[in-house]
Short mmCIF file of all heavy atoms in Angstrom, two decimals:
data_model
loop_
_atom_site.label_atom_id
_atom_site.label_comp_id
_atom_site.label_asym_id
_atom_site.label_seq_id
_atom_site.Cartn_x
_atom_site.Cartn_y
_atom_site.Cartn_z
N MET A 917 106.71 215.80 86.50
CA MET A 917 105.51 215.16 85.98
C MET A 917 105.57 215.14 84.48
O MET A 917 105.80 216.15 83.85
CB MET A 917 104.27 215.91 86.45
CG MET A 917 103.01 215.48 85.76
SD MET A 917 101.55 216.27 86.40
CE MET A 917 101.60 217.83 85.59
N SER A 918 105.36 214.01 83.92
CA SER A 918 105.33 213.89 82.48
C SER A 918 103.88 213.87 82.01
O SER A 918 103.16 212.89 82.20
CB SER A 918 106.03 212.60 82.04
OG SER A 918 105.86 212.42 80.66
N THR A 919 103.50 214.98 81.41
CA THR A 919 102.13 215.07 80.91
C THR A 919 101.87 214.01 79.85
O THR A 919 100.80 213.41 79.81
CB THR A 919 101.88 216.48 80.32
OG1 THR A 919 102.16 217.44 81.34
CG2 THR A 919 100.47 216.64 79.86
N GLU A 920 102.87 213.77 79.03
CA GLU A 920 102.73 212.77 77.97
C GLU A 920 102.43 211.39 78.55
O GLU A 920 101.55 210.68 78.06
CB GLU A 920 104.01 212.71 77.13
CG GLU A 920 103.93 211.73 75.98
CD GLU A 920 105.21 211.70 75.17
OE1 GLU A 920 106.00 212.65 75.22
OE2 GLU A 920 105.42 210.68 74.48
N ASN A 921 103.14 211.01 79.62
CA ASN A 921 102.91 209.71 80.25
C ASN A 921 101.53 209.64 80.89
O ASN A 921 100.87 208.61 80.86
CB ASN A 921 103.98 209.42 81.29
CG ASN A 921 105.31 209.10 80.66
OD1 ASN A 921 105.40 208.76 79.49
ND2 ASN A 921 106.37 209.23 81.44
N ARG A 922 101.09 210.75 81.47
CA ARG A 922 99.74 210.76 82.07
C ARG A 922 98.66 210.64 81.00
O ARG A 922 97.66 209.95 81.20
CB ARG A 922 99.55 212.01 82.92
CG ARG A 922 100.38 211.99 84.18
CD ARG A 922 99.92 213.03 85.16
NE ARG A 922 100.83 213.12 86.29
CZ ARG A 922 100.70 212.41 87.41
NH1 ARG A 922 99.72 211.55 87.52
NH2 ARG A 922 101.56 212.57 88.39
N VAL A 923 98.86 211.30 79.88
CA VAL A 923 97.89 211.21 78.78
C VAL A 923 97.83 209.78 78.26
O VAL A 923 96.75 209.25 78.00
CB VAL A 923 98.25 212.21 77.65
CG1 VAL A 923 97.43 211.94 76.40
CG2 VAL A 923 98.05 213.64 78.12
N LYS A 924 98.98 209.15 78.12
CA LYS A 924 99.02 207.76 77.68
C LYS A 924 98.29 206.85 78.66
O LYS A 924 97.58 205.93 78.26
CB LYS A 924 100.46 207.28 77.51
CG LYS A 924 101.15 207.85 76.30
CD LYS A 924 102.58 207.34 76.21
CE LYS A 924 103.31 207.94 75.03
NZ LYS A 924 104.71 207.48 74.95
N ALA A 925 98.45 207.12 79.95
CA ALA A 925 97.78 206.32 80.97
C ALA A 925 96.27 206.49 80.89
O ALA A 925 95.52 205.52 81.01
CB ALA A 925 98.29 206.68 82.36
N VAL A 926 95.82 207.72 80.69
CA VAL A 926 94.38 207.97 80.57
C VAL A 926 93.83 207.27 79.33
O VAL A 926 92.76 206.65 79.37
CB VAL A 926 94.09 209.49 80.53
CG1 VAL A 926 92.64 209.75 80.15
CG2 VAL A 926 94.40 210.12 81.88
N ALA A 927 94.57 207.35 78.23
CA ALA A 927 94.13 206.68 77.00
C ALA A 927 94.05 205.17 77.20
O ALA A 927 93.10 204.52 76.74
CB ALA A 927 95.09 207.01 75.86
N LYS A 928 95.02 204.60 77.91
CA LYS A 928 95.03 203.16 78.18
C LYS A 928 93.84 202.79 79.06
O LYS A 928 93.21 201.76 78.86
CB LYS A 928 96.34 202.78 78.86
CG LYS A 928 96.49 201.31 79.19
CD LYS A 928 96.57 200.42 77.99
CE LYS A 928 97.94 200.43 77.39
NZ LYS A 928 98.11 199.44 76.32
N ASN A 929 93.49 203.64 80.01
CA ASN A 929 92.36 203.40 80.88
C ASN A 929 91.05 203.39 80.08
O ASN A 929 90.21 202.50 80.25
CB ASN A 929 92.30 204.44 81.99
CG ASN A 929 91.26 204.12 83.03
OD1 ASN A 929 91.11 202.97 83.43
ND2 ASN A 929 90.55 205.13 83.49
N ILE A 930 90.90 204.38 79.21
CA ILE A 930 89.69 204.45 78.38
C ILE A 930 89.60 203.23 77.47
O ILE A 930 88.53 202.62 77.34
CB ILE A 930 89.68 205.76 77.57
CG1 ILE A 930 89.50 206.95 78.51
CG2 ILE A 930 88.58 205.74 76.50
CD1 ILE A 930 89.74 208.29 77.86
N GLU A 931 90.72 202.88 76.85
CA GLU A 931 90.76 201.70 75.99
C GLU A 931 90.36 200.45 76.77
O GLU A 931 89.58 199.63 76.28
CB GLU A 931 92.18 201.54 75.43
CG GLU A 931 92.37 200.35 74.54
CD GLU A 931 93.81 200.18 74.09
OE1 GLU A 931 94.64 201.09 74.31
OE2 GLU A 931 94.11 199.11 73.54
N GLY A 932 90.86 200.34 77.99
CA GLY A 932 90.53 199.19 78.83
C GLY A 932 89.06 199.14 79.20
O GLY A 932 88.44 198.08 79.20
N LYS A 933 88.49 200.30 79.53
CA LYS A 933 87.08 200.34 79.89
C LYS A 933 86.21 199.93 78.71
O LYS A 933 85.24 199.18 78.86
CB LYS A 933 86.68 201.73 80.37
CG LYS A 933 87.20 202.03 81.75
CD LYS A 933 86.76 203.38 82.25
CE LYS A 933 87.35 203.60 83.63
NZ LYS A 933 86.70 204.64 84.37
N ILE A 934 86.56 200.43 77.52
CA ILE A 934 85.80 200.08 76.32
C ILE A 934 85.90 198.58 76.06
O ILE A 934 84.89 197.92 75.79
CB ILE A 934 86.28 200.90 75.10
CG1 ILE A 934 85.89 202.36 75.28
CG2 ILE A 934 85.72 200.33 73.81
CD1 ILE A 934 86.52 203.30 74.27
N GLN A 935 87.10 198.04 76.15
CA GLN A 935 87.29 196.62 75.89
C GLN A 935 86.55 195.77 76.92
O GLN A 935 85.98 194.75 76.57
CB GLN A 935 88.78 196.27 75.89
CG GLN A 935 89.05 194.86 75.42
CD GLN A 935 90.52 194.59 75.19
OE1 GLN A 935 91.36 195.43 75.49
NE2 GLN A 935 90.83 193.44 74.65
N GLU A 936 86.53 196.21 78.17
CA GLU A 936 85.80 195.48 79.20
C GLU A 936 84.31 195.45 78.88
O GLU A 936 83.66 194.41 78.97
CB GLU A 936 86.05 196.10 80.57
CG GLU A 936 85.33 195.37 81.68
CD GLU A 936 85.54 196.01 83.04
OE1 GLU A 936 86.13 197.11 83.14
OE2 GLU A 936 85.08 195.41 84.03
N VAL A 937 83.76 196.59 78.49
CA VAL A 937 82.33 196.66 78.17
C VAL A 937 82.01 195.79 76.96
O VAL A 937 81.01 195.07 76.95
CB VAL A 937 81.89 198.13 77.93
CG1 VAL A 937 80.50 198.19 77.34
CG2 VAL A 937 81.96 198.90 79.24
N VAL A 938 82.87 195.85 75.94
CA VAL A 938 82.66 195.02 74.76
C VAL A 938 82.67 193.54 75.16
O VAL A 938 81.84 192.76 74.70
CB VAL A 938 83.73 195.30 73.68
CG1 VAL A 938 83.71 194.25 72.58
CG2 VAL A 938 83.52 196.68 73.07
N GLY A 939 83.59 193.18 76.04
CA GLY A 939 83.63 191.80 76.52
C GLY A 939 82.38 191.40 77.26
O GLY A 939 81.89 190.28 77.11
N GLU A 940 81.83 192.32 78.04
CA GLU A 940 80.58 192.04 78.76
C GLU A 940 79.41 191.88 77.79
O GLU A 940 78.60 190.96 77.92
CB GLU A 940 80.27 193.15 79.75
CG GLU A 940 81.16 193.13 80.97
CD GLU A 940 80.82 194.23 81.96
OE1 GLU A 940 79.69 194.77 81.91
OE2 GLU A 940 81.69 194.56 82.78
N VAL A 941 79.33 192.79 76.81
CA VAL A 941 78.22 192.77 75.85
C VAL A 941 78.26 191.52 74.98
O VAL A 941 77.24 190.90 74.72
CB VAL A 941 78.23 194.06 74.99
CG1 VAL A 941 77.25 193.95 73.83
CG2 VAL A 941 77.91 195.27 75.84
N THR A 942 79.47 191.17 74.53
CA THR A 942 79.60 190.02 73.63
C THR A 942 79.71 188.70 74.38
O THR A 942 79.67 187.63 73.77
CB THR A 942 80.83 190.17 72.71
OG1 THR A 942 82.02 190.21 73.52
CG2 THR A 942 80.72 191.40 71.85
N GLY A 943 79.88 188.76 75.69
CA GLY A 943 80.03 187.55 76.48
C GLY A 943 81.41 186.94 76.34
O GLY A 943 81.59 185.75 76.61
N ASN A 944 82.40 187.74 75.94
CA ASN A 944 83.76 187.26 75.76
C ASN A 944 84.58 187.56 77.02
O ASN A 944 84.98 188.70 77.24
CB ASN A 944 84.40 187.91 74.54
CG ASN A 944 85.76 187.35 74.21
OD1 ASN A 944 86.46 186.84 75.07
ND2 ASN A 944 86.14 187.46 72.95
N PRO A 945 84.83 186.54 77.84
CA PRO A 945 85.56 186.78 79.09
C PRO A 945 87.00 187.23 78.85
O PRO A 945 87.57 187.93 79.69
CB PRO A 945 85.50 185.44 79.82
CG PRO A 945 85.22 184.43 78.76
CD PRO A 945 84.46 185.14 77.69
N ASN A 946 87.61 186.82 77.73
CA ASN A 946 88.99 187.24 77.44
C ASN A 946 89.06 188.74 77.21
O ASN A 946 89.98 189.41 77.71
CB ASN A 946 89.55 186.49 76.24
CG ASN A 946 89.80 185.02 76.54
OD1 ASN A 946 90.03 184.65 77.68
ND2 ASN A 946 89.73 184.20 75.51
N ASP A 947 88.13 189.29 76.44
CA ASP A 947 88.11 190.73 76.20
C ASP A 947 87.89 191.49 77.51
O ASP A 947 88.54 192.50 77.77
CB ASP A 947 87.01 191.13 75.21
CG ASP A 947 87.48 191.09 73.77
OD1 ASP A 947 88.71 191.04 73.53
OD2 ASP A 947 86.62 191.12 72.87
N LYS A 948 86.98 190.97 78.31
CA LYS A 948 86.70 191.62 79.59
C LYS A 948 87.95 191.63 80.48
O LYS A 948 88.30 192.66 81.05
CB LYS A 948 85.55 190.90 80.31
CG LYS A 948 85.13 191.55 81.58
CD LYS A 948 83.94 190.85 82.20
CE LYS A 948 83.57 191.51 83.51
NZ LYS A 948 82.45 190.85 84.17
N ALA A 949 88.64 190.50 80.55
CA ALA A 949 89.84 190.40 81.37
C ALA A 949 90.96 191.30 80.84
O ALA A 949 91.66 191.95 81.61
CB ALA A 949 90.32 188.96 81.44
N GLU A 950 91.13 191.34 79.52
CA GLU A 950 92.15 192.21 78.93
C GLU A 950 91.85 193.67 79.21
O GLU A 950 92.76 194.47 79.47
CB GLU A 950 92.25 191.96 77.43
CG GLU A 950 92.94 190.66 77.07
CD GLU A 950 93.00 190.43 75.57
OE1 GLU A 950 92.96 191.40 74.79
OE2 GLU A 950 93.10 189.25 75.18
N GLY A 951 90.58 194.04 79.15
CA GLY A 951 90.19 195.41 79.46
C GLY A 951 90.50 195.77 80.89
O GLY A 951 91.00 196.86 81.19
N GLN A 952 90.23 194.86 81.80
CA GLN A 952 90.54 195.10 83.21
C GLN A 952 92.05 195.20 83.43
O GLN A 952 92.51 196.01 84.24
CB GLN A 952 89.93 193.99 84.06
CG GLN A 952 88.42 194.05 84.11
CD GLN A 952 87.78 192.83 84.76
OE1 GLN A 952 88.39 191.76 84.84
NE2 GLN A 952 86.56 192.97 85.21
N ALA A 953 92.82 194.38 82.70
CA ALA A 953 94.27 194.43 82.82
C ALA A 953 94.81 195.78 82.33
O ALA A 953 95.72 196.35 82.93
CB ALA A 953 94.91 193.29 82.03
N LYS A 954 94.23 196.30 81.26
CA LYS A 954 94.66 197.60 80.75
C LYS A 954 94.35 198.71 81.76
O LYS A 954 95.14 199.64 81.93
CB LYS A 954 93.99 197.90 79.41
CG LYS A 954 94.55 197.08 78.28
CD LYS A 954 93.85 197.36 76.97
CE LYS A 954 94.41 196.48 75.87
NZ LYS A 954 93.73 196.69 74.59
N GLN A 955 93.23 198.59 82.44
CA GLN A 955 92.88 199.58 83.45
C GLN A 955 93.86 199.50 84.63
O GLN A 955 94.27 200.53 85.17
CB GLN A 955 91.45 199.35 83.93
CG GLN A 955 90.43 199.71 82.86
CD GLN A 955 89.02 199.36 83.28
OE1 GLN A 955 88.52 199.94 84.24
NE2 GLN A 955 88.40 198.42 82.61
N ALA A 956 94.25 198.30 85.00
CA ALA A 956 95.22 198.13 86.09
C ALA A 956 96.57 198.71 85.68
O ALA A 956 97.24 199.37 86.48
CB ALA A 956 95.36 196.66 86.45
N GLU A 957 96.96 198.50 84.43
CA GLU A 957 98.21 199.08 83.93
C GLU A 957 98.16 200.60 83.99
O GLU A 957 99.13 201.25 84.36
CB GLU A 957 98.47 198.61 82.50
CG GLU A 957 99.73 199.18 81.90
CD GLU A 957 99.92 198.81 80.44
OE1 GLU A 957 99.23 197.91 79.93
OE2 GLU A 957 100.79 199.43 79.81
N SER A 958 97.02 201.15 83.63
CA SER A 958 96.85 202.60 83.67
C SER A 958 97.02 203.13 85.10
O SER A 958 97.69 204.13 85.32
CB SER A 958 95.47 202.98 83.14
OG SER A 958 95.20 204.34 83.37
N GLN A 959 96.42 202.45 86.06
CA GLN A 959 96.56 202.86 87.46
C GLN A 959 98.01 202.80 87.90
O GLN A 959 98.48 203.68 88.62
CB GLN A 959 95.69 201.97 88.35
CG GLN A 959 94.21 202.22 88.18
CD GLN A 959 93.37 201.26 88.99
OE1 GLN A 959 93.81 200.17 89.33
NE2 GLN A 959 92.14 201.66 89.29
N MET A 960 98.73 201.77 87.46
CA MET A 960 100.13 201.64 87.81
C MET A 960 100.93 202.80 87.23
O MET A 960 101.78 203.38 87.90
CB MET A 960 100.70 200.32 87.30
CG MET A 960 102.15 200.11 87.64
SD MET A 960 102.91 198.74 86.76
CE MET A 960 102.85 199.33 85.09
N ARG A 961 100.65 203.17 85.98
CA ARG A 961 101.36 204.28 85.35
C ARG A 961 101.11 205.59 86.11
O ARG A 961 102.02 206.40 86.29
CB ARG A 961 100.93 204.44 83.90
CG ARG A 961 101.46 203.38 82.98
CD ARG A 961 101.06 203.63 81.56
NE ARG A 961 101.55 202.60 80.67
CZ ARG A 961 101.44 202.66 79.35
NH1 ARG A 961 100.87 203.70 78.78
NH2 ARG A 961 101.90 201.69 78.60
N HIS A 962 99.87 205.80 86.55
CA HIS A 962 99.56 207.00 87.33
C HIS A 962 100.33 207.00 88.65
O HIS A 962 100.84 208.04 89.08
CB HIS A 962 98.06 207.11 87.60
CG HIS A 962 97.28 207.71 86.49
ND1 HIS A 962 97.40 209.02 86.10
CD2 HIS A 962 96.35 207.17 85.66
CE1 HIS A 962 96.59 209.27 85.10
NE2 HIS A 962 95.95 208.16 84.80
N THR A 963 100.40 205.84 89.28
CA THR A 963 101.13 205.73 90.54
C THR A 963 102.61 206.05 90.34
O THR A 963 103.21 206.78 91.14
CB THR A 963 100.97 204.32 91.14
OG1 THR A 963 99.57 204.09 91.36
CG2 THR A 963 101.74 204.17 92.44
N VAL A 964 103.19 205.54 89.27
CA VAL A 964 104.60 205.82 88.97
C VAL A 964 104.81 207.32 88.78
O VAL A 964 105.77 207.90 89.30
CB VAL A 964 105.06 205.03 87.72
CG1 VAL A 964 106.41 205.53 87.22
CG2 VAL A 964 105.13 203.54 88.03
N GLU A 965 103.91 207.96 88.04
CA GLU A 965 104.03 209.40 87.81
C GLU A 965 103.89 210.17 89.12
O GLU A 965 104.59 211.16 89.35
CB GLU A 965 103.01 209.88 86.78
CG GLU A 965 103.31 209.40 85.37
CD GLU A 965 104.69 209.77 84.87
OE1 GLU A 965 105.10 210.94 85.02
OE2 GLU A 965 105.38 208.90 84.34
N ASN A 966 102.99 209.73 90.00
CA ASN A 966 102.83 210.38 91.30
C ASN A 966 104.10 210.24 92.14
O ASN A 966 104.51 211.20 92.81
CB ASN A 966 101.64 209.79 92.05
CG ASN A 966 100.31 210.19 91.43
OD1 ASN A 966 100.23 211.15 90.68
ND2 ASN A 966 99.28 209.42 91.71
N ILE A 967 104.71 209.08 92.10
CA ILE A 967 105.96 208.87 92.84
C ILE A 967 107.06 209.77 92.29
O ILE A 967 107.80 210.39 93.05
CB ILE A 967 106.37 207.38 92.81
CG1 ILE A 967 105.37 206.56 93.63
CG2 ILE A 967 107.80 207.19 93.32
CD1 ILE A 967 105.53 205.07 93.47
N LYS A 968 107.15 209.86 90.97
CA LYS A 968 108.14 210.74 90.35
C LYS A 968 107.93 212.18 90.81
O LYS A 968 108.88 212.90 91.11
CB LYS A 968 108.04 210.68 88.82
CG LYS A 968 108.59 209.44 88.21
CD LYS A 968 108.42 209.54 86.69
CE LYS A 968 108.81 208.32 85.94
NZ LYS A 968 108.58 208.48 84.49
N ASP A 969 106.67 212.61 90.85
CA ASP A 969 106.37 213.97 91.30
C ASP A 969 106.80 214.20 92.73
O ASP A 969 107.38 215.23 93.06
CB ASP A 969 104.86 214.25 91.19
CG ASP A 969 104.39 214.43 89.74
OD1 ASP A 969 105.24 214.60 88.86
OD2 ASP A 969 103.15 214.40 89.53
N GLU A 970 106.54 213.23 93.60
CA GLU A 970 106.92 213.36 95.01
C GLU A 970 108.43 213.40 95.17
O GLU A 970 108.95 214.18 95.99
CB GLU A 970 106.32 212.20 95.84
CG GLU A 970 104.82 212.28 95.96
CD GLU A 970 104.33 213.57 96.61
OE1 GLU A 970 104.93 214.02 97.60
OE2 GLU A 970 103.34 214.13 96.11
N ILE A 971 109.14 212.59 94.42
CA ILE A 971 110.60 212.60 94.48
C ILE A 971 111.13 213.95 94.02
O ILE A 971 112.02 214.55 94.64
CB ILE A 971 111.20 211.45 93.67
CG1 ILE A 971 110.90 210.12 94.34
CG2 ILE A 971 112.72 211.63 93.48
CD1 ILE A 971 111.26 208.90 93.53
N LYS A 972 110.57 214.44 92.93
CA LYS A 972 111.02 215.74 92.41
C LYS A 972 110.76 216.85 93.43
O LYS A 972 111.61 217.72 93.66
CB LYS A 972 110.32 216.06 91.10
CG LYS A 972 110.82 217.35 90.49
CD LYS A 972 110.28 217.59 89.12
CE LYS A 972 110.88 218.92 88.69
NZ LYS A 972 110.68 219.30 87.38
N LYS A 973 109.59 216.83 94.09
CA LYS A 973 109.29 217.83 95.12
C LYS A 973 110.28 217.75 96.28
O LYS A 973 110.71 218.77 96.80
CB LYS A 973 107.87 217.63 95.65
CG LYS A 973 106.79 218.10 94.72
CD LYS A 973 105.42 217.84 95.35
CE LYS A 973 104.31 218.08 94.36
NZ LYS A 973 103.00 217.73 94.93
N ALA A 974 110.62 216.55 96.66
CA ALA A 974 111.54 216.36 97.77
C ALA A 974 112.94 216.85 97.43
O ALA A 974 113.65 217.36 98.31
CB ALA A 974 111.59 214.88 98.17
N LEU A 975 113.32 216.75 96.19
CA LEU A 975 114.66 217.18 95.77
C LEU A 975 114.74 218.68 95.55
O LEU A 975 115.83 219.25 95.59
CB LEU A 975 115.08 216.43 94.51
CG LEU A 975 115.29 214.92 94.65
CD1 LEU A 975 115.59 214.31 93.30
CD2 LEU A 975 116.39 214.63 95.64
N ASP A 976 113.61 219.30 95.30
CA ASP A 976 113.60 220.75 95.06
C ASP A 976 113.65 221.53 96.31
O ASP A 976 113.88 221.64 97.27
CB ASP A 976 112.35 221.18 94.30
CG ASP A 976 112.41 220.76 92.84
OD1 ASP A 976 113.51 220.48 92.34
OD2 ASP A 976 111.33 220.71 92.22
#
């Protein structure tokens, strides 16, 4: 498990949530969509880290 990668994923998720809210408040659909995309990227990064952990457990 890479703690650094998980921290980056959490930061990306927070950034995405903030950008989505800003997009909603300002009525900017592009900001909202970009925020949602960042959140999806964060989820993907977490999934990758989970898979890495499972592989490492299986090899140990």
Side-chain angles (χ1 to χ4, degrees):
M917 169 175 81
S918 173
T919 303
E920 182 180 339
N921 288 341
R922 290 195 188 270
V923 168
K924 286 180 182 179
V926 170
K928 181 66 80 172
N929 188 41
I930 292 169
E931 179 184 350
K933 286 182 181 198
I934 291 170
Q935 189 170 6
E936 181 182 7
V937 169
V938 168
E940 287 181 20
V941 170
T942 62
N944 186 334
N946 290 333
D947 272 344
K948 184 177 178 181
E950 286 179 25
Q952 290 171 338
K954 287 178 182 178
Q955 290 175 64
E957 179 185 346
S958 170
Q959 290 175 336
M960 181 192 65
R961 287 183 181 187
H962 277 293
T963 300
V964 168
E965 290 304 313
N966 289 340
I967 291 170
K968 286 180 185 178
D969 287 347
E970 291 301 318
I971 291 171
K972 184 172 180 172
K973 284 179 189 176
L975 294 175
D976 286 341

